[in-house]
Amino acid sequence: MRFVITLLAALLAVLPGVAHAGPSTRWDNIGPNGAGGYLAFARDIAYVLPGAGQQVFRSGDRGRSWRQGRLFPEMRGNGLAADPSRPDTVLVAGYEGGGGAGTVLRSVDGGLSFGVALRTPSEVQDVAFGGGFSYAASAEGVYRGVGGRGWSLLPGSPRDAEDVQVVGSSIVVAAGGVVHVLRSGKWSASDVPADKITSRGAVVVARKFSGGVHLSSDGGASWREVSGPWTSSWILYGGITANGWIQVQTLDGHFISTDLGGSWKRTDALSTIDVYTEIGSFPDMPEWQWVYGSGGVYATSDHEHFKRVGVPGAHVLSLAISGRSLVAGTMQGSYRTDLPAVSQEWDFDGSAPPAIGNRIGALAARDGVCIRD
């Protein structure tokens, strides 16, 4: 599933922030916002990496304004992590060029610029900080470093690692489609399906796109399957958030449990902002969650009401002028802003069909009427 999401994200890849058409002509990115991707938080700083993106966006004021980092050197991103003890140290996992080789990039200036910290024979799927170390997941296994430097492959680590979480003194990894745990220096494998892992304290949630959601309350030592009011076997998102909610998104909808799967509440999140790719929170605001969905980044406290945070990144497929408005068609839907556009935050009409397979390839306008294809 990680490959499918990465392939989709590549179609939504972020455009360069500033383009130059000639020696005397300057083009500025004025929007719109969008594309699913990855989140990282360190103290009061938020970082965003659009899916398969080539630059990181940073906000030091909880999403009111953003700084756009420089383009990566010949790499697209798969994952993002920020060092909680050094908020300006950021890691990006990814792959180089046409595929095959992988890279971990490291920034010490808050995501403005990056240098290569680790090169691997295969694509790096994920990065993480925890317990004074940094980690990277790849097909060779799990690499460990300190502060994003001095990397070495952990002996006995599982091959085909997709996701890595630091849980107390243990390392929990999704590799080869199942959960692996490093505890007291020894690796153990389970039959729990997993391609994505999230954790809060000793509670760990493993999700697999076609394998359901499983929960551990003892740091990965034992597991139970999570069941709920959904019938679809396709798990679009599954995880635990900073305030202890278990969240599951399927083709049937989005569901929240506040009691570790004992009871569930259905929300309107799937119909409102489409497919979740990641959820994160500021350390001091666990009840206020940021969601990276197909249409961009949103903040919510109940997954019923959403406020757009906004990060540039949608692939614009068509443009039209209707009266004083400029309308843009993307893979997520259509956006509009009044001319002259002074902000990258455009109004989203919210009426787009599901993002997968959606494409607004043509727009036409006349006498205030706008038609989209």
Side-chain angles (χ1 to χ4, degrees):
M1 180 56 186
R2 177 68 67 89
F3 171 77
V4 175
I5 293 176
T6 300
L7 182 60
L8 175 62
L11 297 175
L12 308 177
V14 62
L15 296 176
V18 178
H20 295 271
S24 61
T25 303
R26 184 174 185 270
W27 291 80
D28 291 318
N29 186 346
I30 60 173
N33 305 322
Y38 311 94
L39 302 168
F41 298 85
R43 298 179 188 170
D44 58 352
I45 299 174
Y47 295 99
V48 171
L49 171 67
Q54 290 184 283
Q55 56 199 152
V56 166
F57 297 84
R58 177 189 186 276
S59 175
D61 54 12
R62 301 184 188 266
R64 289 187 292 274
S65 62
W66 292 90
R67 186 190 70 187
Q68 185 173 351
R70 302 188 187 106
L71 289 175
F72 301 153
E74 300 180 356
M75 193 197 90
R76 293 192 179 277
N78 276 335
L80 178 68
D83 191 337
S85 61
R86 298 178 179 84
D88 285 336
T89 299
V90 186
L91 299 180
V92 171
Y95 57 96
E96 298 180 1
T103 301
V104 173
L105 298 181
R106 178 176 183 264
S107 171
V108 293
D109 58 8
L112 181 61
S113 61
F114 285 85
V116 175
L118 172 67
R119 279 198 168 94
T120 62
S122 63
E123 181 175 338
V124 181
Q125 299 279 10
D126 190 32
V127 283
F129 285 99
F133 295 99
S134 49
Y135 297 89
S138 74
E140 301 86 62
V142 179
Y143 292 85
R144 184 172 66 185
V146 178
R149 295 182 294 182
W151 297 91
S152 61
L153 192 63
L154 281 175
S157 60
R159 296 184 63 84
D160 300 321
E162 294 183 84
D163 202 29
V164 55
Q165 282 277 312
V166 180
V167 182
S169 59
S170 301
I171 310 299
V172 183
V173 178
V178 297
V179 172
H180 299 252
V181 179
L182 174 64
R183 181 181 291 107
S184 301
K186 295 182 179 180
W187 286 99
S188 62
S190 70
D191 58 358
V192 175
D195 53 23
K196 179 69 175 179
I197 296 172
T198 57
S199 64
R200 177 180 180 267
V203 179
V204 188
V205 174
R207 179 221 77 159
K208 189 171 176 62
F209 176 68
S210 57
V213 178
H214 290 74
L215 183 147
S216 171
S217 297
D218 52 15
S222 61
W223 296 84
R224 63 178 173 87
E225 187 171 5
V226 174
S227 60
W230 55 87
T231 60
S232 173
S233 60
W234 285 9
I235 308 299
L236 305 177
Y237 178 85
I240 185 168
T241 49
N243 63 347
W245 291 357
I246 307 296
Q247 303 205 28
V248 175
Q249 190 179 62
T250 76
L251 294 179
D252 300 324
H254 177 266
F255 305 87
I256 292 175
S257 173
T258 61
D259 54 6
L260 298 183
S263 60
W264 295 89
K265 174 188 176 182
R266 180 192 292 267
T267 78
D268 293 328
L270 186 62
S271 60
T272 303
I273 65 171
D274 206 50
V275 179
Y276 284 17
T277 60
E278 192 161 25
I279 301 177
S281 299
F282 288 102
D284 62 341
M285 299 177 65
E287 74 288 346
W288 194 257
Q289 295 157 15
W290 282 26
V291 177
Y292 214 146
S294 301
V297 184
Y298 301 81
T300 181
S301 60
D302 58 7
H303 298 264
E304 295 278 358
H305 306 89
F306 297 87
K307 176 185 178 182
R308 278 191 59 87
V309 179
V311 170
H315 189 168
V316 177
L317 304 171
S318 51
L319 284 171
I321 293 178
S322 178
R324 293 183 59 249
S325 297
L326 180 63
V327 183
T330 75
M331 296 287 282
Q332 288 87 36
S334 52
Y335 297 75
R336 62 170 293 278
T337 189
D338 289 336
L339 297 174
V342 296
S343 171
Q344 290 181 336
E345 182 59 32
W346 293 25
D347 291 331
F348 176 51
D349 62 18
S351 62
I356 298 177
N358 182 37
R359 181 184 179 92
I360 298 179
L363 289 165
R366 182 176 180 181
D367 299 330
V369 176
C370 190
I371 301 173
R372 74 181 187 183
D373 170 29

